[in-house]
Amino acid sequence: MVQKVKRNKTPQEALASLMRLCARSERSSGDALRLMRGWGVSDADAREVLSRLTKERFIDDSRYAEAFVRDKIRLSGWGERKISAALRAKAIAPQIIDKAIRQEAQTDMHERLATLLARRVRTLKYRSVGDARQKLLRYALSAGYDFSTAIDCVEQCTKCLATDKDDDEQQLF
């Protein structure tokens, strides 16, 4: 098995590489620091490179957080808790996370989760309505939605299941 040899970069090479990367897609300061550590750049040099990238607006954590929240809500269907945890893992400041989530949370979380669960229930395999309720609740919580919103949406979704199940049973006899 061939192992890739890590090549150490000078601070100037790291700056140039990060400028290219940041020009292509948003990066957070945590991402940049992680990359520089992998390139063998010293901590003092990494801070200097990061301050220059921030000053020249190649890296902006608030812009990154806003884009991240928007993508995860609209494309992946994530809830606030999962988004917040992912941004904390990327070393984004809590006040930036809260601001980005509040800005995007204008869209109704309840409606998004209801749509997500309606899509999920079509492929769900369950033995009883209680079983379906439990699976949907677990799914909603793992997607990062808070418990009260998850319970409301699951109840709403399983009411439809209960009526559909009753209709199916009546048709069988």
Side-chain angles (χ1 to χ4, degrees):
M1 185 168 136
V2 178
Q3 289 185 346
K4 188 175 180 180
V5 177
K6 287 187 181 181
R7 182 176 167 265
N8 289 342
K9 292 188 179 191
T10 65
Q12 292 79 18
E13 291 173 332
L15 177 65
S17 294
L18 284 170
M19 284 181 167
R20 277 193 309 276
L21 286 172
C22 292
R24 279 189 259 144
S25 67
E26 286 291 335
R27 303 282 177 177
S28 70
S29 56
D31 291 339
L33 288 172
R34 182 182 45 79
L35 285 169
M36 286 189 279
R37 255 186 254 117
W39 293 333
V41 177
S42 71
D43 288 340
D45 290 336
R47 282 193 298 275
E48 288 178 28
V49 169
L50 185 60
S51 69
R52 179 151 177 218
L53 289 169
T54 304
K55 187 176 75 175
E56 294 180 14
R57 307 245 328 131
F58 278 98
I59 292 179
D60 184 356
D61 282 345
S62 61
R63 188 177 63 212
Y64 176 83
E66 289 169 7
F68 187 89
V69 168
R70 191 174 37 255
D71 287 350
K72 295 304 177 186
I73 284 176
R74 293 182 183 165
L75 301 177
S76 301
W78 285 12
E80 290 180 21
R81 292 173 186 251
K82 191 169 185 175
I83 293 170
S84 180
L87 286 172
R88 278 193 313 268
K90 290 187 173 280
I92 304 291
Q95 56 270 33
I96 293 174
I97 295 171
D98 292 339
K99 181 182 174 194
I101 288 176
R102 261 186 283 124
Q103 200 170 31
E104 193 59 38
Q106 294 168 351
T107 56
D108 190 25
M109 296 292 266
H110 196 273
E111 283 181 30
R112 275 198 313 264
L113 181 57
T115 305
L116 199 63
L117 290 177
R119 211 176 312 138
R120 176 72 175 181
V121 80
R122 285 186 230 138
T123 60
L124 190 68
K125 294 180 179 162
Y126 59 94
R127 285 176 248 142
S128 65
V129 176
D131 185 36
R133 185 177 291 131
Q134 184 181 29
K135 288 181 179 185
L136 289 173
L137 181 61
R138 239 183 286 132
Y139 178 74
L141 293 175
S142 71
Y145 291 89
D146 64 285
F147 190 75
S148 62
T149 304
I151 285 287
D152 291 343
C153 289
V154 166
E155 288 302 319
Q156 177 185 348
C157 193
T158 54
K159 281 181 188 175
C160 298
L161 287 178
T163 57
D164 290 345
K165 201 74 151 170
D166 293 340
D167 293 343
D168 290 344
E169 288 174 4
Q170 288 175 358
Q171 290 174 357
L172 291 175
F173 297 109

